[in-house]
Amino acid sequence: MTARVMVRARIRAGEEAAFEAAYAQVTAQVAGTPGHIRDELLRPCADDDHYILLSEWTDEAAFLAWEDAPIHRQTTTPMRPYWAGRVRRDIHIVAHHSTAHAPSPTNTAPPAPEGEVP
C-alpha cells in the first residue's frame, strides 16, 4: 500500500530561502530512488512555524529501506543545518484515495428557449 511520509521541521529564522534551495537539491537527488514516487514542500501558515516535507512511496518498506541506507543521511545533509531543533517524522499508509474532478469547461446547462437570455 502506498505510504506517505511527513516530516515536520522548524527552520532557523531568516534561513527559509536557503532551506528551500537545499530541499530542492535533496529532492532532485532522491528522484529515481526505488519506491519513491514524489515529494512536496509545504510552507507554514501565519499561525505555525513548521515546514511540512511530504514524500510518497510505493510502500512503507521502500521508504524504510532508503531511510536505513547510508545514502539517506548523505543525501539529506544539505537540509540539516537549517533545522531549528528536532524534526518529527511520521509514516502514514494511504487508506483511501479519491480523484478530484475539475468542472467541465463546457456549459452543461440546457439551452435557453429561443429569444431568452440564459
Side-chain angles (χ1 to χ4, degrees):
M1 303 268 305
T2 303
R4 301 253 171 89
V5 179
M6 182 176 73
V7 175
R8 183 176 167 84
R10 186 176 309 129
I11 304 306
R12 296 179 191 278
E15 300 286 348
E16 295 86 359
F19 166 73
E20 290 183 21
Y23 173 85
Q25 176 186 349
V26 169
T27 59
Q29 291 177 357
V30 174
T33 299
H36 178 260
I37 298 171
R38 67 188 179 110
D39 293 302
E40 289 182 282
L41 179 63
L42 306 178
R43 286 187 184 129
C45 293
D47 61 343
D48 193 3
D49 63 352
H50 289 82
Y51 275 79
I52 304 294
L53 294 73
L54 295 175
S55 63
E56 185 172 353
W57 296 78
T58 54
D59 54 38
E60 183 180 11
F63 170 74
L64 292 174
W66 177 73
E67 184 180 54
D68 291 341
I71 192 72
H72 171 260
R73 187 144 189 90
Q74 178 185 351
T75 302
T76 59
T77 294
M79 293 186 299
R80 294 176 188 274
Y82 304 107
W83 292 346
R86 300 184 65 131
V87 299
R88 177 180 172 161
R89 191 265 290 144
D90 295 308
I91 302 173
H92 299 270
I93 303 304
V94 176
H96 178 76
H97 180 81
S98 64
T99 304
H101 297 284
S104 173
T106 59
N107 184 359
T108 58
E114 193 170 312
E116 291 185 23
V117 177

